[in-house]
Amino acid sequence: MSEYTYINPKFEKEINEFSKKTLVPELTLNYDIKVRDFVNTGNASADIKLTLKRLGVSSPVLRRVAISSYEAEINITAHSKGGNIICNVYPEFVHIQFKDKGPGLKDIEQAMIPGWSTADDAVREMGFGAGLGLPNIKKNSDYLHIVSAENSPTLVEILIFYIEK
Amino acid sequence: MKLSDVITALEAELLVTGVSLEIDVPCAFGSDLISDILMCTKESTLLLTGITNHQIIRLSDMIDLTAIVFVRGKKPSEDIIKMAQDREMPLLTTKFTMYQSSGILYNLGLRSCKI
């Protein structure tokens, strides 16, 4: 099993506290993501963005949430045997978990390199597979945690704070 | 620049109905890579692209697109046009290539989006 963690240094204290405590979210949203459903993929991320918009989250933060979530949702659609998204909304941040049923990442560090991709031709023809998904998620999130292994499920989780430091 | 100016300059066909042609087009970006489009659009942007699948419309749920121009005569299917119609997202198609379209609009003073 391999693991990758990125923490925005500006939120180090808050993120460490989050990992220690068991907080009760104000709201939880659940979505099933089907294999290779390129028509409906993106619905979950659009719904998460809309929900946070209604709660008064600012536009620049909504954009970061939408981009991170959409890239991760596309990854489940394009690369996995299906999975689900669990979005937990807290008063100061949103925590989104993307869980799939495998086949898993052989080397997470390699997947973090911009331009590296295992996408097939069909996926590339649709405009995906540029190898920028995970780097894009990292760029737009305050916390990124990936746990995976070959022939295993992958967990990608992100945290984004509503106030930018 | 207004959307009507873009239509005239690119000799474009408008694929949706009921949208205002007087909306302001502040800047533009051109790409066929979804991740690039996501990363580079931080303000309301006119998108030039050759991608015609559902996900190009879905992008407008995530980021702020003024309108989408399909280059080199590309035209999405009816269900994709309906998706845009539901979102009141202007869709244009032009016979010009991505390079020609970009050059025409750039020469008319339409700036690149800030990246």
Side-chain angles (χ1 to χ4, degrees):
Chain A
M1 191 186 79
S2 64
E3 206 171 344
Y4 177 92
T5 307
Y6 161 76
I7 295 173
N8 177 353
K10 291 173 185 167
F11 288 103
E12 203 170 349
K13 194 175 139 244
E14 290 89 340
I15 289 161
N16 285 333
E17 273 173 22
F18 171 77
S19 57
K20 280 178 208 155
K21 288 182 199 162
T22 314
L23 298 170
V24 181
E26 289 192 335
L27 176 69
T28 298
L29 305 165
N30 260 292
Y31 309 91
D32 274 326
I33 308 299
K34 292 188 189 122
V35 189
R36 313 274 295 187
D37 179 5
F38 285 102
V39 172
N40 293 305
T41 191
N43 273 339
S45 300
D47 191 60
I48 290 170
K49 183 186 173 186
L50 191 65
T51 304
L52 293 176
K53 189 180 178 181
R54 285 183 183 137
L55 294 171
V57 174
S58 72
S59 292
V61 174
L62 286 176
R63 177 182 171 272
R64 288 170 50 217
V65 172
I67 291 175
S68 303
S69 178
Y70 181 64
E71 290 278 18
E73 186 174 354
I74 292 293
N75 278 347
I76 297 179
T77 307
H79 301 293
S80 83
K81 299 174 198 163
N84 68 306
I85 299 177
I86 302 160
C87 172
N88 284 316
V89 179
Y90 295 94
E92 284 160 13
F93 56 86
V94 62
H95 175 221
I96 315 176
Q97 290 173 295
F98 306 87
K99 299 174 177 180
D100 71 31
K101 297 169 188 159
L105 284 159
K106 207 173 177 179
D107 185 342
I108 301 176
E109 292 289 342
Q110 194 173 36
M112 292 306 299
I113 299 169
W116 189 87
S117 176
T118 58
D120 57 37
D121 287 348
V123 170
R124 286 176 199 263
E125 273 167 26
M126 280 185 277
F128 301 110
L132 295 171
L134 289 174
N136 233 352
I137 297 171
K138 182 182 170 184
K139 198 179 161 195
N140 286 291
S141 300
D142 295 311
Y143 171 70
L144 167 63
H145 182 219
I146 308 170
V147 184
S148 190
E150 208 174 1
N151 303 315
S152 305
T154 296
L155 165 71
V156 173
E157 59 176 331
I158 59 168
L159 234 67
I160 296 175
F161 289 81
Y162 307 141
I163 304 288
E164 293 181 314
K165 282 190 184 174
Chain B
M1 188 179 283
K2 305 271 184 222
L3 188 61
S4 55
D5 299 323
V6 174
I7 294 174
T8 307
L10 298 180
E11 299 171 26
E13 180 192 344
L14 182 66
L15 302 173
V16 296
T17 56
V19 294
S20 169
L21 303 183
E22 292 310 301
I23 53 170
D24 196 40
V25 180
C27 64
F29 183 72
S31 179
D32 284 350
L33 289 174
I34 301 261
S35 286
D36 266 358
I37 300 166
L38 285 170
M39 204 182 267
C40 294
T41 46
K42 298 187 175 92
E43 55 188 325
S44 188
T45 304
L46 177 78
L47 175 66
L48 284 79
T49 189
I51 305 173
T52 54
N53 61 49
H54 293 88
Q55 292 306 313
I56 205 73
I57 312 297
R58 184 79 60 205
L59 272 182
S60 68
D61 294 338
M62 311 300 160
I63 53 172
D64 189 3
L65 298 178
T66 322
I68 301 169
V69 181
F70 300 107
V71 296
R72 214 165 57 80
K74 290 195 168 80
K75 217 173 186 178
S77 60
E78 282 303 321
D79 57 330
I80 291 165
I81 294 174
K82 189 182 176 298
M83 254 181 101
Q85 187 73 59
D86 291 345
R87 289 163 172 77
E88 295 176 354
M89 169 58 53
L91 296 186
L92 311 177
T93 180
T94 174
K95 64 181 181 203
F96 295 116
T97 64
M98 177 89 88
Y99 183 72
Q100 288 170 322
S101 304
S102 305
I104 290 166
L105 296 175
Y106 193 86
N107 278 339
L108 288 172
L110 184 63
R111 68 173 171 86
S112 164
C113 64
K114 292 172 196 137
I115 57 169

